[in-house]
Amino acid sequence: VSLMAVRLSWLFRPLGLHLPLTKSFQVTMVSFFFAQFLPGATGGDLARLFYVAKDYKGRRSETLTVSLFDRAVGMLSLLVMPLLFAPAFAGLIRSTPALQALLISSAVLAALLLAGFLACLFYQSHMERLAHAVFGFLPWKDWHGQIIRTVASYRHHLGTVAAAFGISIVANSLMLIVMLLAVFVLNPAGLDSKICLI
């Protein structure tokens, strides 16, 4: 949770927004609470969006976009992690079609997320035109363009994005270690290296 708070705080900086680490930690803990105790997985994200945006009244669309971008970076790391473990389990993957399908799905979704990010960075005007063509009928004025411009502003801060991705890999690895320790405590005979992949 602390690493996720650091990631969110880092992603605010390139936009000239200051989210202190203590505030980021508080928002992340509130988000974690709502994610655990509300039905469905989106309760935590909605709570986080609310608490982050309320402090930046003039720049709410940017803060909401950064919060969603933070979640996308976390999701990309979750999709990439099994691909990092895959070479160690090549035999298991070859003999298990379900694992092959899951890994292919992870790779495709990760590639789509990365392609969308790179398109916003390097083809900003094309993406804005495409978004206007697709979402232009909605009543909210230019929200899609604002999202693309906010993501494109990371063009000159790719190191921050890479660091956020790296911290996500570390955080997810720690979660994996906690899961392995839980299995070891509850059922030592069930401990298997395949858990890293699955």
Side-chain angles (χ1 to χ4, degrees):
V1 172
S2 298
L3 290 174
M4 287 187 277
V6 169
R7 183 183 71 197
L8 182 63
S9 181
W10 283 357
L11 289 174
F12 266 74
R13 291 179 189 164
L15 299 177
L17 296 167
H18 180 64
L19 182 66
L21 192 54
T22 53
K23 175 71 174 176
S24 181
F25 184 76
Q26 290 170 351
V27 168
T28 304
M29 288 299 289
V30 167
S31 169
F32 186 73
F33 171 82
F34 280 106
Q36 297 304 311
F37 295 103
L38 282 181
T42 59
D45 290 336
L46 292 175
R48 185 167 74 150
L49 289 172
F50 172 77
Y51 282 108
V52 168
K54 77 184 184 87
D55 290 340
Y56 299 95
K57 289 190 168 78
R59 301 179 72 180
R60 280 191 176 152
S61 61
E62 288 174 279
T63 59
L64 293 175
T65 302
V66 173
S67 296
L68 292 173
F69 184 65
D70 172 70
R71 297 301 291 160
V73 170
M75 179 60 71
L76 180 63
S77 71
L78 280 175
L79 292 169
V80 167
M81 277 193 69
L83 303 175
L84 298 176
F85 285 106
F89 300 98
L92 174 66
I93 293 167
R94 276 194 297 271
S95 65
T96 313
L99 276 178
Q100 293 171 18
L102 286 171
L103 288 171
I104 289 169
S105 298
S106 285
V108 168
L109 290 172
L112 287 173
L113 273 173
L114 187 59
F117 172 62
L118 293 175
C120 287
L121 289 186
F122 300 110
Y123 301 101
Q124 179 182 346
S125 59
H126 296 299
M127 291 300 292
E128 285 188 51
R129 283 196 295 274
L130 177 64
H132 183 71
V134 174
F135 301 110
F137 68 93
L138 293 174
W140 307 290
K141 185 181 179 184
D142 196 37
W143 63 272
H144 42 78
Q146 181 63 46
I147 290 172
I148 292 167
R149 285 189 292 276
T150 301
V151 172
S153 66
Y154 287 100
R155 182 183 302 117
H156 305 295
H157 304 278
L158 292 178
T160 301
V161 177
F165 178 75
I167 207 168
S168 297
I169 293 287
V170 171
N172 290 328
S173 298
L174 291 173
M175 188 68 91
L176 177 62
I177 291 168
V178 168
M179 190 180 305
L180 288 169
L181 290 172
V183 170
F184 178 73
V185 169
L186 297 173
N187 182 17
L191 193 63
D192 192 321
S193 61
K194 291 192 290 277
I195 293 173
C196 295
L197 177 65
I198 295 168

